[in-house]
Amino acid sequence: MGGWTAARKGLLMAFLLAFTTAISPSASASAASPKKAKGSDSPPLMLQLPVDTGRRVPSSVVFPIYGDVYPHGLYYVAMSIGDPPKPYFLDIDTGSDLTWLQCDAPCVKCSKGPHPWYRPTRNKLVPCRDPLCAALHAGTIHDENCDQCDYQIQYEDRGSSLGVLISDAFNLRLINTTIVRPVLAFGCGYDQQFAIQNAPTPTDGLLGLGTGKVSVLSQLSDQGVTKNVMGHCLGGKGGGYLFFGDDFVPTSLMTWAPMSRSRNYYSPGPASLYWGTRSLGVNQMEVVFDTGSTFTYFGFQPYQAFLSAVKSDLSKKPLKEEFGDPSLPVCWKGPKAFKSVKDVKKHFKTLALNFVNGNRALLEVPPENYLIITKHGNACLGILNGTEVGLNKDLNIIGDISLQDRMVVYDNERQHIGWVQIGCDRLPKPGASSL
């Protein structure tokens, strides 16, 4: 949800709470509450054509990524939304579906972001009978006759967003040079809860990229703008890129694993865990890829097995455990302060996850993908104990730190997830047969 703090857990995997209330009617005319006038017969959003009507050939769109794992603790993109379009910074999150902006409707609890809060108008409200509203409330009691499509989303880091579903144009430049302005639904969040309240945030909201119908990717696919394929490349030194569509997906060198059907998140299924070439005795380890999480989180058993292997290897190395660094729970110091992971990586092995459902689907996690060097010059583990932050004991999250410097592709059309080691400072050419 943004920002590097010692308290930030960086877990944005979301679940929706059943919630119904009206937005405060106290908004001024210039920042009118988007409460729908009773008797409105506006058509459901999914039945509306995008701005540029007519038969479409799906293309792709690419966005530069900003931010890093340390010291900022998040990756985000800039998107232009509204009419006229205005820029907003959105935290990219594959672990949740709903995109939302901090919204002056009026804003009850919203931190100050880099741009003015989004101001809705009454005609932007998504009707309760819209299929996207029903999809947003799947599994909860949903009244199709309500005045507005309210939502409340709770995130794993104990943050939350409360608001109402609205629709507006997203200004996108496709790689075929066409500019399109599809009308997409997103959350007008007027009550946000953060780990640290009232602190400035580096983003204006969140870009939900999950598998649900309300995610931006699903909506673009349903409207024929792009295929239901997405990829990201998070730069280890910051930056990178995000793309929608399949034009940048390499046709060779990718490692692919089928998407697991057991979860609603992006999961390549269960994996076995290795430290170097040695098995850690952890099998059937269910794994989720989540860009909304700064760090990687293991359940109790895999975390203990991993930590024991690391400490055993380091017992004969010139490193000492450092307990005074507040950055992360487990850190080491050397004879002198470390300046980069290169100074210490020789003392650590590569962690590997072997996904049993894939054809030799191996995800290698070298030291630079699980260590950070803090401002104090210590090397700290970016793989944390998920049970200590309240995660399900069987849930293992692969976060930003372990996804750096590789292209990760989520192909919802073919239902598989792929990755390949690659520098993220330069976008590959569309249609390239290999990297």
Side-chain angles (χ1 to χ4, degrees), residues 5-227:
T5 68
R8 182 178 188 265
K9 305 305 179 187
L11 297 169
L12 297 186
M13 296 177 64
F15 56 92
L16 185 74
L17 306 177
F19 182 79
T20 304
T21 189
I23 288 183
S24 169
S26 62
S28 65
S30 61
S33 164
K35 184 174 180 180
K36 171 176 166 284
K38 293 185 178 180
S40 169
D41 57 355
S42 57
L45 181 63
M46 286 186 69
L47 303 183
Q48 294 177 0
L49 288 173
V51 174
D52 53 327
T53 59
R55 187 186 179 104
R56 248 192 234 289
V57 176
S59 184
S60 297
V61 59
V62 63
F63 308 90
I65 285 178
Y66 308 94
D68 53 38
V69 168
Y70 186 84
H72 296 98
L74 83 165
Y75 289 93
Y76 63 93
V77 295
M79 283 195 169
S80 296
I81 303 171
D83 185 14
K86 296 180 180 179
Y88 297 97
F89 293 161
L90 300 177
D91 193 344
I92 58 176
D93 182 19
T94 59
S96 62
D97 294 334
L98 183 66
T99 294
W100 58 262
L101 289 175
Q102 295 200 35
C103 192
D104 196 2
C107 217
V108 178
K109 289 183 180 178
C110 294
S111 296
K112 183 174 176 56
H115 299 101
W117 294 331
Y118 175 90
R119 287 195 168 189
T121 55
R122 294 180 185 275
N123 65 340
K124 301 297 185 184
L125 190 74
V126 174
C128 289
R129 63 189 176 91
D130 190 285
L132 284 176
C133 185
L136 181 63
H137 288 272
T140 66
I141 298 174
H142 172 59
D143 179 10
E144 291 190 355
N145 296 316
C146 60
D147 287 342
Q148 59 189 30
C149 185
D150 296 293
Y151 74 87
Q152 184 178 12
I153 291 183
Q154 188 77 40
Y155 296 97
E156 293 285 357
D157 67 353
R158 297 180 178 82
S160 64
S161 175
L162 184 153
V164 63
L165 199 64
I166 60 174
S167 65
D168 211 336
F170 281 57
N171 204 66
L172 305 175
R173 181 185 293 274
L174 304 180
I175 62 167
N176 63 11
T177 71
T178 304
I179 295 178
V180 295
R181 301 187 64 237
V183 175
L184 307 179
F186 59 96
C188 169
Y190 56 83
D191 189 351
Q192 325 301 339
Q193 300 291 335
F194 301 98
I196 298 179
Q197 286 295 324
N198 301 320
T201 58
T203 58
D204 303 292
L206 181 141
L207 180 62
L209 299 174
T211 61
K213 295 289 287 185
V214 78
S215 79
V216 163
L217 179 64
S218 295
Q219 292 185 66
L220 290 174
S221 173
D222 287 341
Q223 294 191 20
V225 179
T226 70
K227 290 187 178 180

Side-chain angles (χ1 to χ4, degrees), residues 273-280 306 309-310 313 347-352 365 370:
L273 196 61
Y274 291 83
W275 177 243
T277 58
R278 177 167 65 92
S279 171
L280 291 181
F306 166 66
V310 174
D313 274 10
H347 301 304
F348 293 83
K349 294 178 180 176
T350 292
L351 184 71
V365 185
Y370 64 78

Side-chain angles (χ1 to χ4, degrees), residues 385-406:
N385 186 347
T387 56
E388 290 185 351
V389 296
L391 289 181
N392 184 302
K393 64 182 179 64
D394 298 321
L395 183 61
N396 303 278
I397 294 175
I398 304 300
D400 293 341
I401 190 170
S402 301
L403 298 175
Q404 295 176 110
D405 291 326
R406 69 186 75 210

Side-chain angles (χ1 to χ4, degrees), residues 301-318:
Q301 181 192 2
Y303 178 76
Q304 292 301 326
F306 166 66
L307 188 61
S308 295
V310 174
K311 289 188 174 182
S312 176
D313 274 10
L314 294 182
S315 62
K316 298 179 181 180
K317 303 290 177 64

